[in-house]
Amino acid sequence: MRRYLRVLLVCTLLVFCSLLYTFNQLVSSLESASHQARAQRTRAAEPGLSERAHDDRSRSEPVGLAVVACGSRLEETLTMLKSAVLFSRRDLHFHIFAEDDLHTGFRQALESWPQRFRSRFNYSVYPITFPSDNAREWKRLFKPCASQRLFLPLILKQVDSVLYVDTDILFLRPVEDVWSFLSAFNRSHVAAMAPEHEEPRIGWYNRFARHPYYGKTGVNSGVMLMNMTRIRAKLFKNDMTAVNLKWADLLMPLLHKYKLNITWGDQDLLNIIFHHNPESLFVFPCQWNYRPDHCIYGSNCAAAEQHGIYILHGNRGVYHDDKQPAFRAVYDVIQQFPFEEDPVGGLLVPLEEKLESAEHTYCGRVRHVFTKRLRQTVTDLQRETDRTRHVLEV
């Protein structure tokens, strides 16, 4: 009898152990599935990890265009915005940071544009805002208010990405074309800019800079595509501490360390940041930020020679004096163009005529780069104008 009891006990223990093992396996399986689900949700939420979702969203949402305007830059900024609206086929959202006395001027001008163009964009006007403890120091850095661009990721906290441009920018092809570089970012890229120079022999940074800078010739921040979600999330390497710093914690220490050694203000700070974090910068070609430096010493932007200028950057004040008439010609034609007029007759033809009188300058001698891409852009605009007129007539 005892033998049977011992066998029964052993069998009972074996069944219990088997059940316990099965139960543990089931719990483990459920925990694993739960962990995988959480990981998938986390990957979808983290910036840059769901690239397809980001691409789909970037195609459907308005293109965000940010600009900072102070002093006498109202008319110049409106001309820039006009070039964006004229040629874009995507909805736009303008983020305009301006001194208080310019706000009314922006609203009145933008609301007065013809409805066919006004319907393509929304806009927000913001005051100039710097950290309260150092506001005066930031505002006086280089040009008035220019360093506001450094704080866009901290001010526009709900905005994923923006294309920041200086007020002296003119788009010669649709804004969404430069916006599409966001889809070309790899997982480490947080921003995109063009080189400061193509030719090191005339480069400023490699000859005169007293601080670190990106690459061989530095980068120019007049056109800066920013994935601000990634900028806010990234920990940046730096030469001030062994600890990597968030963007919000990086800017002020950087200014304190280098303020006696920088010449171009916030652009220099950006060069320092991306010198230490080169993997985070996407560099696009010079035709996306074409400046007088690309032609006043001879043509040195080969991409513009081949494809034409995509974005014109009239720094050095060349839109408002006679030193570089080729640049001023583009600005004047776009500024004076009536929205509803024939774009070929109202834009392209007058520009070609004005450029002929600029042939005595180095930039005027390569005048074809100013119209090569614009001709295609204007042709597309003409087709749309003709379609709209046809619909109205029917």
Side-chain angles (χ1 to χ4, degrees), residues 53-336:
H54 183 276
D55 291 349
D56 292 342
R57 189 170 68 252
S58 66
R59 293 189 188 99
S60 60
E61 293 182 351
V63 173
L65 185 63
V67 64
V68 179
C70 288
S72 60
R73 297 298 181 115
L74 174 63
E75 192 59 42
E76 184 176 88
T77 306
L78 287 169
T79 304
M80 179 276 291
L81 296 175
K82 183 179 182 181
S83 72
V85 172
L86 277 175
F87 303 135
S88 180
R89 297 298 169 266
R90 285 271 302 273
D91 289 338
L92 307 174
H93 190 115
F94 300 147
H95 298 277
I96 303 169
F97 290 80
E99 291 177 311
D100 293 345
D101 59 347
L102 299 180
H103 288 199
T104 299
F106 275 114
R107 291 191 177 98
Q108 289 178 345
L110 294 174
E111 293 296 340
S112 71
W113 288 359
Q115 181 58 28
R116 182 163 70 89
F117 295 93
R118 176 64 187 87
S119 63
R120 295 179 182 175
F121 68 91
N122 291 315
Y123 67 92
S124 303
V125 182
Y126 311 86
I128 300 297
T129 306
F130 293 110
S132 57
D133 294 343
N134 310 99
R136 180 175 296 182
E137 192 170 4
W138 282 113
K139 189 168 184 178
R140 291 180 175 178
L141 182 65
F142 192 46
K143 295 180 180 178
C145 306
S147 57
Q148 180 75 91
R149 87 185 82 181
L150 296 176
F151 298 94
L152 296 184
L154 309 180
I155 298 171
L156 302 176
K157 294 180 180 179
Q158 304 305 314
V159 179
D160 178 69
S161 300
V162 296
L163 173 64
Y164 166 85
V165 295
D166 286 346
T167 61
D168 51 9
I169 289 295
L170 292 171
F171 293 95
L172 304 187
R173 68 179 296 171
V175 182
E176 56 265 29
D177 292 345
V178 64
W179 185 259
S180 67
F181 280 120
L182 285 171
S183 299
F185 280 17
N186 66 28
R187 291 171 183 251
S188 64
H189 292 141
V190 304
M193 288 182 275
E196 173 71 11
H197 284 284
E198 304 302 306
E199 175 50 67
R201 288 176 296 179
I202 60 173
W204 192 91
Y205 282 108
N206 55 290
R207 292 189 297 160
F208 305 117
R210 295 178 295 161
H211 58 79
Y213 56 88
Y214 178 87
K216 293 182 178 180
T217 60
V219 286
N220 184 277
S221 60
V223 179
M224 183 178 179
L225 188 60
M226 307 167 71
N227 184 319
M228 298 197 299
T229 300
R230 293 185 178 185
I231 290 175
R232 288 186 288 262
K234 182 177 173 58
L235 293 171
F236 290 86
K237 297 186 291 291
N238 61 89
D239 59 358
M240 300 170 293
T241 171
V243 178
N244 295 350
L245 297 175
K246 286 287 190 75
W247 189 262
D249 302 321
L250 176 67
L251 298 177
M252 200 67 235
L254 201 64
L255 176 61
H256 283 161
K257 177 171 182 176
Y258 286 105
K259 63 182 178 181
L260 299 179
N261 293 325
I262 58 178
T263 302
W264 308 113
D266 53 302
Q267 177 173 289
D268 290 347
L269 296 182
L270 288 167
N271 266 280
I272 295 168
I273 291 171
F274 288 109
H275 168 84
H276 295 292
N277 301 270
E279 75 287 350
S280 297
L281 186 66
F282 181 97
V283 179
F284 46 68
C286 51
Q287 75 266 36
W288 295 96
N289 187 354
Y290 189 94
R291 295 168 291 114
D293 303 77
H294 289 117
C295 53
I296 59 176
Y297 308 112
S299 183
N300 58 69
C301 177
E305 289 271 8
Q306 183 177 359
H307 304 291
I309 298 169
Y310 295 167
I311 297 178
L312 191 70
H313 186 175
N315 65 335
R316 302 175 181 264
V318 294
Y319 293 153
H320 311 293
D321 60 32
D322 296 321
K323 294 180 180 179
Q324 296 301 329
F327 281 78
R328 181 164 184 170
V330 181
Y331 179 83
D332 288 346
V333 165
I334 292 177
Q335 182 192 35
Q336 297 163 13

